[in-house]
Amino acid sequence: LIPHTLGIVWRMMIMGRPPMTNLYATFLFVSWMCVVLGLAVEWLQRNSLGSLLSSAAGLILLLVAGRFSTQGDTLGVVVAVLDSNFWLATHVVTITMGYAGCLAAGVVGHLYLLQAMRKPDHDPGLQSVTRAIYGLLAFGLIFSFLGTMLGGVWADQSWGRFWGWDPKENGALLIVLWCAILFHARIAGMIGPLGMAAGSVLGVIVVLMAWIGINLLGVGLHSYGFTSGLARGLWTSVAFEVSFVAVTLWFILRRSRAATA
């Protein structure tokens, strides 16, 4: 966390900008935020779950960031659509904090599904993982919602409309709706901890589509951050997440039916 923080601060000092100025910088910030969230979980629960989250999420996202650093100068001129230090420090920071919360919940959701394949529902370890998923997903929902609202205010000032069904706006809305659906379904008793875990893993796909997938379209007022060859990695990630949820749920439900019989 310490060298990661220093790196982000030095980038800000060199550019005279908030931490997010391009797609590469967003990966640096989201990975940093996931490490912070993991350490917060560790401080609250003290069961190594947060340490694992920080290590795994931080490492994976930094490795992905390295993919973007090969495209050229990572300290280049800020694109016109992002040329506002105030809104970079408010809307962009807030919305990416929402990304981080949902991704962190997805990482913990993976762990829950793996543990649920061999542990009963009432296991204390699973219950602590469930609490972490709820907290991280709530964090992601709150900041995604706030970031979307702030983005609407920025759009109204820059383009004269609060909402225009732009692909990037739709992507941010989908994250909010997905998180809200999971919480409403849990409150209504339609899903339990297992459903929340599976939903948080699938939420990673929603975040990736809103964060990266929209840039592949090359349309809309938010069309920036295009990187060649990104589509294959994105669809590979989507296929992996869907397969992971399908396979683990099959094993969990099979074990549950066997135990009932």
Side-chain angles (χ1 to χ4, degrees):
L1 175 64
I2 293 173
H4 198 157
T5 303
L6 290 175
I8 291 178
V9 170
W10 284 336
R11 286 179 59 88
M12 294 169 61
M13 293 173 62
I14 292 171
M15 296 194 67
R17 295 280 191 176
M20 269 82 67
T21 55
N22 52 41
L23 199 57
Y24 168 76
T26 63
F27 274 95
L28 291 183
F29 183 82
V30 171
S31 61
W32 177 85
M33 194 69 223
C34 284
V35 173
V36 172
L37 290 173
L39 293 178
V41 171
E42 183 63 30
W43 181 73
L44 291 171
Q45 296 194 0
R46 302 184 184 277
N47 58 1
S48 300
L49 173 62
S51 298
L52 179 61
L53 168 60
S54 293
S55 303
L59 175 62
I60 293 171
L61 289 171
L62 282 180
L63 290 174
V64 175
R67 166 71 174 80
F68 293 92
S69 65
T70 61
Q71 301 298 315
D73 185 9
T74 63
L75 295 170
V77 178
V78 179
V79 295
V81 71
L82 295 176
D83 192 12
S84 170
N85 275 9
F86 174 78
W87 289 111
L88 279 174
T90 52
H91 161 63
V92 180
V93 169
T94 305
I95 199 75
T96 47
M97 288 175 69
Y99 292 168
C102 294
L103 288 177
V107 172
V108 179
H110 284 81
L111 180 61
Y112 182 98
L113 293 178
L114 290 174
Q115 290 185 331
M117 293 172 64
R118 59 185 181 85
K119 292 182 178 181
D121 296 339
H122 58 272
D123 183 82
L126 278 182
Q127 293 177 1
S128 67
V129 176
T130 299
R131 291 193 297 270
I133 292 175
Y134 289 165
L136 292 169
L137 204 60
F139 181 93
L141 172 59
I142 291 170
F143 281 92
S144 295
F145 176 77
L146 291 176
T148 303
M149 294 300 100
L150 289 171
V153 177
W154 187 6
D156 184 57
Q157 294 184 3
S158 299
W159 302 323
R161 90 288 189 282
F162 180 81
W163 190 267
W165 298 107
D166 184 87
K168 199 72 172 181
E169 297 170 347
N170 294 338
L173 178 61
L174 285 176
I175 295 175
V176 175
L177 290 177
W178 183 257
C179 294
I181 287 171
L182 290 179
F183 278 112
H184 279 78
R186 180 69 183 96
I187 294 172
M190 299 172 65
I191 60 175
L194 179 61
M196 286 291 289
S200 66
V201 174
L202 295 178
V204 173
I205 298 177
V206 180
V207 173
L208 290 178
M209 287 300 178
W211 185 9
I212 303 172
I214 298 300
N215 298 327
L216 299 177
L217 298 176
V219 297
L221 295 172
H222 293 82
S223 182
Y224 58 88
F226 177 78
T227 303
S228 60
L230 184 61
R232 179 180 298 177
L234 177 63
W235 290 115
T236 300
S237 300
V238 171
F240 170 79
E241 298 295 0
V242 173
S243 301
F244 180 87
V245 171
V247 171
T248 52
L249 284 180
W250 182 81
F251 274 102
I252 293 169
L253 295 177
R254 181 186 179 189
R255 184 182 62 83
S256 177
R257 287 195 296 266
T260 302

